[in-house]
Amino acid sequence: MNTSSADGTSDEIMIKGKLKLIDELGLPWEVHFQDDVYGDNDITTPSGTAHGEGTRPDWDWIERQVDLGQDVEIGITWLDSAGNPKGGHWVTLEGKIDFGEGARGFWYRHDTEQDSTGGTDSSHFSWVTMRPDSFLVLENEPSNYIDIVVAESPIVGDFIPGDANGDGFLLASDVTYLVRYPKGINPPPDPLLAGDANGDCQVIGSHVTFMVRYFKGLGPAPHAGNCR
């Protein structure tokens, strides 16, 4: 990623490095991000394209990536006592908790002592709040705001929305599969979004109701959503 010992890893070379790695290893992945500089503009290199999907890292967007099992990294801008940027830091998102606005937080992993030999990689938790300008803030860290979020997603091949058991048909057995999956009796649908019957990019209990209504002729057919 052309990381500099003096200046660290910029947002742009972070993304370009990911694209290069994915290309060199032939991985079926794509990169997308939300960033205050690039916004909805893509970043294109000879290795591929990363898709810009917003000018401010947004809680709902980040939560959706986590729920879909994506790999997510968060870029933080540190602030000095006067509120001016004084550098940045990357952390890897490990999980989230959401009790509604005002009670949301992230678990994340990072090296808190990057100048030490060997580093001190460890897990942390922080509640997340929002500044008046809509930037998210990690409350348990020193003065900061989140300026970029990058996610890597598997490129999913063709599948039938609602075909949770992957047999190529929409049948009542898919409803049974969706009932048993959250209970840990069945493994996740493969791909996971095959269990997304209503296009909301999740696989949750409401999809069972959606499928039941479809089979009774009371609702629309299962359909795919834009789930990047």
Side-chain angles (χ1 to χ4, degrees), residues 124-146:
H124 302 264
F125 173 82
S126 178
W127 294 108
V128 177
T129 57
M130 183 183 291
R131 305 194 321 178
D133 60 4
S134 297
F135 278 106
L136 299 175
V137 174
L138 294 178
E139 282 293 302
N140 296 34
E141 293 288 341
S143 184
N144 71 85
Y145 67 90
I146 298 172

Side-chain angles (χ1 to χ4, degrees), residues 129-205:
T129 57
M130 183 183 291
R131 305 194 321 178
D133 60 4
S134 297
F135 278 106
L136 299 175
V137 174
L138 294 178
E139 282 293 302
N140 296 34
E141 293 288 341
S143 184
N144 71 85
Y145 67 90
I146 298 172
D147 64 285
I148 182 171
V149 177
V150 183
E152 294 84 61
S153 311
I155 298 174
V156 180
D158 293 335
F159 62 90
I160 301 173
D163 179 22
N165 63 9
D167 65 0
F169 302 94
L170 286 179
L171 301 168
S173 56
D174 294 305
V175 176
T176 303
Y177 196 98
L178 286 175
V179 170
R180 293 165 63 90
Y181 157 56
K183 297 179 179 180
I185 300 172
N186 286 338
D190 185 18
L192 179 62
L193 289 177
D196 172 19
N198 65 6
D200 67 357
C201 305
Q202 304 178 79
V203 183
I204 54 178

